[in-house]
Amino acid sequence: MDILPQLLANGVIAGAVYALMAIAFSLSFSTGKFFNLALGAMVPVGGYAVYALSVQNNFPLFFSVPTGLFIAGIISMFCELWVFRPLRAKRASSLALIIASLGIATAASAILAMLFSSQLQLLPRVLDQSRLIEGISVTNLQLFTIALSLAMSVVTIGIIRLTAFGRAVRAVSDDSEVASVVGINVERIHLTVAFFTGALCALAGILIGMDVGLEPTMGLFYFLSGVIGSIVGGIGTIGASVFGSYLEGLVENGALIVIPGEWKNAIAFALLIVILLIRPRGLLRK
């Protein structure tokens, strides 16, 4: 049983990463009304942008990281502008939008593999000093990841609840046609949300790259973990998505005390199925 505290700590760390992508998915789904799998591609895009700048060209991280976030946000905006907006204008179904987003994610992974190879690439190791807290081994980077994830959660909730932009996002989430009638620029909201969610997924990718490394195909797995967390907590609500992400991380890591590690990925999907059967709208009320 001595391993249980370490497993739970690993669950909190994993939940912090999942939470960033759960926030992105929750915002994207609330406004766009489809599963935008292209956001999964922004996870490695942000990481590899930092890799190209900091490792291959020796730019400092204080320049490389914001640039990587900006690049991923702009690419996400271009996907919205050139792919999803034309499809919505033609009244394409949600299934068509999902397939288009999957195509973008697949193409992005292939391009990254051609540019950087499929081998594991490491970002500069920062804050990698490990420390022992009550017998639990964590690195400074992992503690920073948890703190940053919680801070981004609070900031996002504050923006959505307290600002004019947040009220516009909520209006578009409730009914985009009515929002347009009352004077809200719906397409601008879609573009802004695309930039923010792309940058948020890129932030997760950069943190993952600094901790365990980068692979071109890693984005979809991590993004789906964020999707599971959002659905478990309650899709459409930022706080619920964050709660579900941490619960997912705790369950999938805590269960390893009785389940072999090979089953770790299946545990999250098993949790999702159980929650959907018991409470389809998620654990927390919208």
Side-chain angles (χ1 to χ4, degrees):
M1 294 296 290
D2 293 337
I3 194 66
L4 182 59
Q6 183 65 59
L7 291 175
L8 295 179
N10 294 343
V12 173
I13 295 164
V17 175
Y18 299 161
L20 292 172
M21 285 166 285
I23 295 170
F25 169 73
S26 183
L27 284 173
S28 176
F29 182 81
S30 296
T31 54
K33 300 296 186 284
F34 76 101
F35 280 49
N36 184 3
L37 299 176
L39 287 175
M42 300 306 110
V43 176
V45 163
Y48 277 108
V50 174
Y51 176 81
L53 291 168
S54 63
V55 177
Q56 295 182 333
N57 292 284
N58 297 316
F59 283 98
L61 281 176
F62 70 80
F63 172 80
S64 301
V65 170
T67 303
L69 298 179
F70 180 77
I71 289 172
I74 290 296
I75 293 175
S76 182
M77 284 181 65
F78 283 158
C79 292
E80 166 62 31
L81 193 61
W82 294 341
V83 179
F84 303 132
R85 180 181 292 184
L87 286 174
R88 279 198 302 269
K90 296 179 180 179
R91 298 193 176 278
S93 65
S94 296
L95 180 60
L97 291 166
I98 293 172
I99 293 173
S101 69
L102 179 60
I104 293 171
T106 304
S109 297
I111 292 171
L112 290 173
M114 288 189 292
L115 292 175
F116 301 100
S117 83
S118 298
Q119 295 180 347
L120 185 72
Q121 306 287 357
L122 295 175
L123 291 181
R125 306 288 289 181
V126 296
L127 301 175
D128 61 344
Q129 299 88 352
S130 49
R131 59 175 64 198
L132 211 60
I133 303 174
E134 297 295 329
I136 299 171
S137 176
V138 293
T139 66
N140 290 336
L141 176 63
Q142 291 168 341
L143 293 175
F144 176 75
T145 298
I146 295 170
L148 183 59
S149 176
L150 292 173
M152 289 303 303
S153 303
V154 173
V155 168
T156 305
I157 291 172
I159 291 173
I160 295 301
R161 290 187 177 181
L162 303 176
T163 67
F165 170 74
R167 289 192 291 272
V169 169
R170 297 203 306 272
V172 172
S173 301
D174 289 338
D175 194 318
S176 59
E177 291 185 4
V178 173
S180 179
V181 168
V182 299
I184 294 174
N185 190 329
V186 175
E187 297 302 338
R188 182 179 296 174
I189 295 297
H190 283 306
L191 276 178
T192 307
V193 169
F195 179 87
F196 180 73
T197 54
L200 206 55
C201 288
L203 177 60
I206 293 167
L207 293 170
I208 294 167
M210 290 179 175
D211 191 19
V212 298
L214 298 169
E215 290 180 309
T217 57
M218 71 184 216
L220 201 55
F221 164 75
Y222 280 104
F223 182 68
L224 287 177
S225 297
V227 171
I228 291 173
S230 182
I231 295 174
V232 166
I235 192 170
T237 306
I238 303 299
S241 297
V242 172
F243 168 78
S245 298
Y246 279 97
L247 178 63
E248 175 194 358
L250 288 170
V251 169
E252 72 176 14
N253 282 274
L256 295 181
I257 198 167
V258 293
I259 298 175
E262 294 82 359
W263 289 88
K264 181 178 178 180
N265 295 340
I267 294 171
F269 287 95
L271 173 66
L272 174 64
I273 292 171
V274 170
I275 295 300
L276 288 176
L277 290 173
I278 297 175
R279 196 174 176 87
R281 294 186 178 182
L283 293 175
L284 301 183
R285 182 178 299 177
K286 184 175 180 180

